Amino acid sequence: MPRTSSAIPVAPRISGFVYAIRNIVAEARKVEAAGRKVRYLNIGDPIIFGFRTPPHMIDAVERAMVDGFNGYAPSVGILAAREAVTAECVQRGMPMTPDRVVITSGTSEGIELALTALAGPGDEVLIPVPTYPLYTAVLAKVGARAVFYRTDPARGWQPDLDHVRSLITPATRALVVIDPNNPTGATYSGEARRALVDLADHHNIPLLADEVYADLAFDGPVGALAALNPEAPVMTFSSLSKAYLAPGWRMGWLAVGATPRLDDVLAGIKKLADGRLCSNAPMEHALVAALTGDRSHQQEFRNALRERAAITHARFNAIDGISCVAPSAAFYAMPRVQLPPGTTDEDYVLALLRATGVLCVYGSGFATAPEDGFFRVVFLASPAELADIYTLIGTFTAEFLAARTH
Ligand SMILES: Cc1ncc(COP(=O)(O)O)c(C=O)c1O
């Protein structure tokens, strides 16, 4: 064969794997290269905004390394970590045993393991829109179809239960629920939560409960979805990334509900977990320290978030052409700008970045319609910096809308 040096092709699945939260950073780098300071409101990482990992967790990792826990851990995680997760589930109302827990590299790996075990080509998975983009990305990778159910900004971003019901087919393999929610900052009503769990039970569809923000609802921790109906096939996912301020450690867990209906899925997940050997072993020790130790940082964090959410809500609603639902958890808001016809959310967000250096993520990165004008803001910056940022956004938006409307 003649020698060829043409570009090596990538697998077709790569084109379906889109993660706007990080993809958009390439645009920000160009703006920085042109000499403008960029304010990164794209990534939900509390550490880059000055919040600190609790010292007793850092001590636990250090001690684990010094004590020699630097080899592979069991693929499901060390027993002490699985026991700590079990106690956490039970305390949140979800019956659990350590043999149904797998320690993962963040919530992300848990989600990937579960979806890989559950869905393949021809299968459908119900996910909320707006969605956290990992779900669409992983489904593109496993070849299953993401089927979007609405959450409604006019009702505080509550899920549209009739829409969920209407989308269930024999091909539905899982129902994803993100509560509290990224990107909307919503917490779901007790009624909606109960209805979702009962749907999963009735239709025998595994409910994937992404509960990574459960401790960051401003009014205090939210119980486990699984607690509402212990018979229902529910798996829960969480991590140390958000409520324990250690996103870079990539330390999380999944726990598979006690119903025998999920036994094969649990076995499938464990098989997949064997293939990647284990999660980060020293950090598993920190998981024990985190879940069994002092959590006083969480109340401080919630207070800081509540203050920032209030500023965010008030300032966006004071901008002509923008409306914003009040977040009740986490550090995200999803304002909406009334775009002139023919303009997309990406046009708006990129123009904002180039004009002001403020980097948000366009709503279509979370699967909303581009013309709907949603964008996501991470409000972890200090109140003073947020005030500056929202002034920049207000001035820019007035100019943007005036230029495009006339
Ligand atoms: C809803 C949701 N799920 C999962 C993740 C991934 O978190 P982790 O760092 O635990 O992988 C995030 C991170 O932003 C998230 O917002």
Side-chain angles (χ1 to χ4, degrees):
M1 279 229 297
R3 181 173 177 274
T4 158
S5 57
S6 54
I8 313 288
V10 295
R13 69 175 66 88
I14 295 300
S15 64
F17 196 94
V18 181
Y19 195 86
I21 297 171
R22 289 199 174 220
N23 298 159
I24 197 174
V25 171
E27 284 306 315
R29 297 277 185 250
K30 287 186 207 158
V31 171
E32 267 174 346
R36 185 184 280 286
K37 176 183 169 191
V38 172
R39 308 195 205 216
Y40 288 89
L41 306 191
N42 61 318
I43 289 198
D45 181 348
I47 301 301
I48 51 185
F49 294 95
F51 293 95
R52 288 284 161 258
T53 312
H56 65 280
M57 289 168 52
I58 296 176
D59 291 346
V61 176
E62 210 176 346
R63 213 176 322 115
M65 288 183 174
V66 170
D67 289 350
F69 292 105
N70 300 302
Y72 293 126
S75 48
V76 290
I78 58 172
L79 179 60
R82 288 182 290 118
E83 283 174 345
V85 170
T86 300
E88 175 73 8
C89 289
V90 169
Q91 187 271 325
R92 299 180 62 234
M94 179 180 191
M96 189 48 55
T97 47
D99 59 315
R100 301 184 80 82
V101 173
V102 178
I103 308 300
T104 56
S105 294
T107 314
S108 305
E109 192 194 32
I111 290 164
E112 180 150 5
L113 289 172
L115 289 175
T116 306
L118 283 166
D123 294 335
E124 298 175 355
V125 173
L126 298 177
I127 61 177
V129 62
T131 186
Y132 176 64
L134 179 67
Y135 290 98
T136 36
V138 171
L139 290 175
K141 205 159 113 178
V142 301
R145 196 160 78 84
V147 176
F148 295 104
Y149 66 85
R150 276 190 300 269
T151 63
D152 183 2
R155 292 189 305 116
W157 291 113
Q158 294 298 305
D160 181 338
L161 299 168
D162 288 336
H163 195 217
V164 179
R165 281 186 203 99
S166 75
L167 295 172
I168 295 173
T169 74
T172 309
R173 289 288 165 273
L175 165 62
V176 171
V177 177
I178 308 170
D179 178 29
N181 192 271
N182 174 14
T184 64
T187 46
Y188 293 172
S189 69
E191 186 194 358
R193 284 163 56 84
R194 175 79 209 205
L196 289 164
V197 179
D198 287 350
L199 268 181
D201 184 13
H202 183 77
H203 294 275
N204 206 24
I205 298 171
L207 188 156
L208 273 49
D210 183 331
E211 304 190 302
V212 71
Y213 299 105
D215 288 330
L216 297 184
F218 306 153
D219 289 339
V222 174
L225 258 172
L228 301 173
N229 177 349
E231 302 296 314
V234 179
M235 302 177 214
T236 183
F237 302 82
S238 193
S239 75
L240 298 185
S241 295
K242 312 293 181 176
Y244 294 89
L245 299 165
W249 288 5
R250 314 308 303 127
M251 181 43 44
W253 62 90
L254 67 83
V256 176
T259 169
R261 290 193 258 178
L262 286 171
D263 286 356
D264 290 350
V265 179
L266 173 63
I269 288 173
K270 286 185 178 177
K271 227 166 147 176
L272 292 169
D274 280 346
R276 71 20 158 168
L277 301 183
C278 66
S279 67
N280 307 312
M283 278 69 176
E284 294 192 8
H285 296 263
L287 178 51
V288 180
L291 295 184
T292 61
D294 175 30
R295 297 188 188 192
S296 53
H297 71 279
Q298 288 187 343
Q299 187 56 46
E300 277 169 45
F301 194 28
R302 283 191 293 266
N303 292 344
L305 296 176
R306 186 198 289 278
E307 181 189 6
R308 287 160 174 75
I311 295 168
T312 303
H313 176 239
R315 291 294 303 269
F316 273 117
N317 285 316
I319 298 173
D320 270 347
I322 294 190
S323 57
C324 181
V325 175
S328 51
F331 26 78
Y332 309 102
M334 192 82 171
R336 177 182 205 168
V337 57
Q338 215 66 50
L339 291 175
T343 315
T344 67
D345 53 6
E346 193 171 344
D347 295 336
Y348 171 80
V349 162
L350 291 179
L352 172 68
L353 168 68
R354 288 170 190 145
T356 65
V358 174
L359 179 66
C360 304
V361 185
Y362 38 87
S364 47
F366 305 90
T368 59
E371 65 277 12
D372 283 354
F374 289 106
F375 58 104
R376 189 193 73 168
V377 177
V378 171
F379 55 73
L380 284 163
S382 69
E385 190 173 4
L386 287 177
D388 286 349
I389 288 167
Y390 299 149
T391 300
L392 288 171
I393 294 179
T395 308
F396 165 80
T397 303
E399 287 165 8
F400 181 86
L401 295 182
R404 309 242 170 174
T405 312
H406 300 301

